[in-house]
Amino acid sequence: MSSIPQNKDELLNAIEDSYTKILGDYQRVPPSLTRTMGVEGNIKGTVISVSDTLAYLIGWGKLVIKWVEAKQSGRAVDIPETGYKWNQLGPLAEKFHKDYATWDYQALLEEYSVVIHRVLEIIQSCNNEDLYVHTWYEKWTLGRMIQFNTSSPMKNMRTKIRRFLKSRGVR
């Protein structure tokens, strides 16, 4: 399998695999470290917490769901998000962190699970043509847009979380 999913089955497998792996890492985080600053942030030179990484992944997953549901119901879709442009992803990440700043870690994990399962349901409801033949946004197919905002950031975040855990001596 190439590293970039080319069809529905590969997309489902990429998300399920990335989710399973990162969830294992999230479950290894001791409660005392969930809000400790020490994970490399998405804005150059910033540091965030493990909880912030979950907020980030939840935020992007929810945007994918919002885009698809809006488009399916014929509503206009603000991509990436209302009030943000593609060159403002740093402030958008900070918005996600703020949105979930008061959530406890277990609630974040549960919300993340709900979001990922909803994304998988959306993919299941599509056929390969819906996902990988027709352009969905600008030059991108729906499958690529989903992958860009789910499995790709999960892989990126997993590297950062594992580095954080290693630096704290967590096995």
Side-chain angles (χ1 to χ4, degrees):
M1 179 173 108
S2 82
S3 62
I4 299 171
Q6 302 296 315
N7 60 50
K8 177 178 175 173
D9 288 338
E10 289 179 6
L11 180 60
L12 288 167
N13 289 338
I15 293 170
E16 289 167 351
D17 183 58
S18 295
Y19 174 70
T20 300
K21 287 177 178 172
I22 201 167
L23 188 61
D25 293 325
Y26 280 137
Q27 291 168 337
R28 289 184 18 236
V29 178
S32 62
L33 293 180
T34 61
R35 290 278 175 197
T36 300
M37 302 309 250
V39 179
E40 177 190 338
N42 292 303
I43 304 168
K44 191 173 176 69
T46 63
V47 178
I48 60 176
S49 72
V50 172
S51 293
D52 290 332
T53 70
L54 266 167
Y56 179 83
L57 295 174
I58 291 166
W60 278 107
K62 283 189 164 188
L63 284 181
V64 167
I65 295 164
K66 179 181 168 181
W67 300 337
V68 171
E69 290 176 350
K71 206 158 192 172
Q72 286 173 341
S73 66
R75 294 190 320 266
V77 184
D78 287 330
I79 298 177
E81 172 62 309
T82 306
Y84 295 87
K85 296 191 177 351
W86 285 113
N87 64 353
Q88 297 172 306
L89 297 184
L92 183 55
E94 289 172 339
K95 176 195 178 307
F96 297 148
H97 301 161
K98 285 185 190 107
D99 289 348
Y100 295 96
T102 61
W103 287 46
D104 97 335
Y105 192 67
Q106 200 54 47
L108 287 169
L109 286 173
E110 289 166 17
E111 183 71 1
Y112 184 47
S113 176
V114 167
V115 167
I116 291 301
H117 287 94
R118 179 65 187 119
V119 170
L120 292 171
E121 286 171 4
I122 288 169
I123 296 166
Q124 288 288 7
S125 74
C126 296
N127 62 39
N128 208 56
E129 196 170 306
D130 297 333
L131 291 165
Y132 283 99
V133 174
H134 305 296
T135 320
W136 192 83
Y137 170 74
E138 293 184 353
K139 65 179 183 172
W140 305 108
T141 63
L142 176 57
R144 285 290 274 155
M145 287 299 289
I146 292 172
Q147 179 248 321
F148 285 146
N149 298 292
T150 58
S151 62
S152 287
M154 278 190 256
K155 286 179 184 173
N156 180 32
M157 218 41 96
R158 183 168 187 243
T159 301
K160 295 175 181 186
I161 291 163
R162 291 170 68 88
R163 194 177 304 135
F164 171 78
L165 290 172
K166 186 176 181 183
S167 75
R168 298 299 191 279
V170 178
R171 300 274 169 248

